[in-house]
Amino acid sequence: PSGGRWYRVARPDTGLRPEEMSGERLRDDMERVSQEEMREWWTKVYDLSKEQCAHRPGARLCKDWNRAPGQAARCEFRRRMTQLLVLSGQVLPFWSPIRDLLPSRPRVVRIAAG
């Protein structure tokens, strides 16, 4: 990046952003607040983002918009922590019964050694 100062932005829920932001864009897109206001906001978002998505409650874009109380959350939008189950090895012969036991449709990834 050339001309002016460039910054990297970190969020409490998603961490350090990969791209840099110009000082001009930073001034246009962000609002200046006191350290204490920032600390309170940062802590609140950090704590909430451990197990809750960033959608507003009841948002229809969210996979969990009509989730029953006590039901596991599925939406991972801006969550710091997610659960990932990994099956490895020769699972193809057992795939049908395994798939039937899973709570949602699994994402299947094949990795070839080579």
Side-chain angles (χ1 to χ4, degrees):
S2 63
R5 294 190 61 160
W6 289 79
Y7 300 88
R8 300 274 311 269
V9 176
R11 294 182 56 94
D13 49 358
T14 56
L16 190 62
R17 295 184 61 133
E19 70 274 359
E20 293 182 334
M21 181 181 285
S22 70
E24 182 180 341
R25 182 168 171 221
L26 188 67
R27 283 187 298 279
D28 291 344
D29 292 357
M30 304 294 177
E31 178 183 338
R32 184 178 287 263
V33 296
S34 70
Q35 266 191 320
E36 188 55 38
E37 286 177 289
M38 177 52 66
R39 185 176 288 110
E40 289 174 19
W41 175 83
W42 186 281
T43 302
K44 179 181 176 183
V45 172
Y46 183 84
D47 291 344
L48 285 173
S49 67
K50 180 179 179 184
E51 297 176 351
Q52 181 178 319
C53 75
H55 290 114
R56 69 182 185 349
R60 292 191 181 259
L61 293 174
C62 181
K63 294 177 186 177
D64 295 329
W65 77 272
N66 63 350
R67 178 170 54 106
Q71 184 180 13
R74 298 171 306 187
C75 185
E76 297 178 358
F77 178 68
R78 286 193 179 161
R79 278 180 46 190
R80 284 189 299 118
M81 298 178 68
T82 60
Q83 183 178 27
L84 179 64
L85 303 173
V86 178
L87 294 175
S88 64
Q90 296 181 350
V91 298
L92 202 53
F94 311 103
W95 186 245
S96 288
I98 290 171
R99 185 183 58 222
D100 294 341
L101 293 171
L102 298 173
S104 62
R105 184 177 175 163
R107 185 176 71 186
V108 178
V109 178
R110 283 193 191 162
I111 301 173

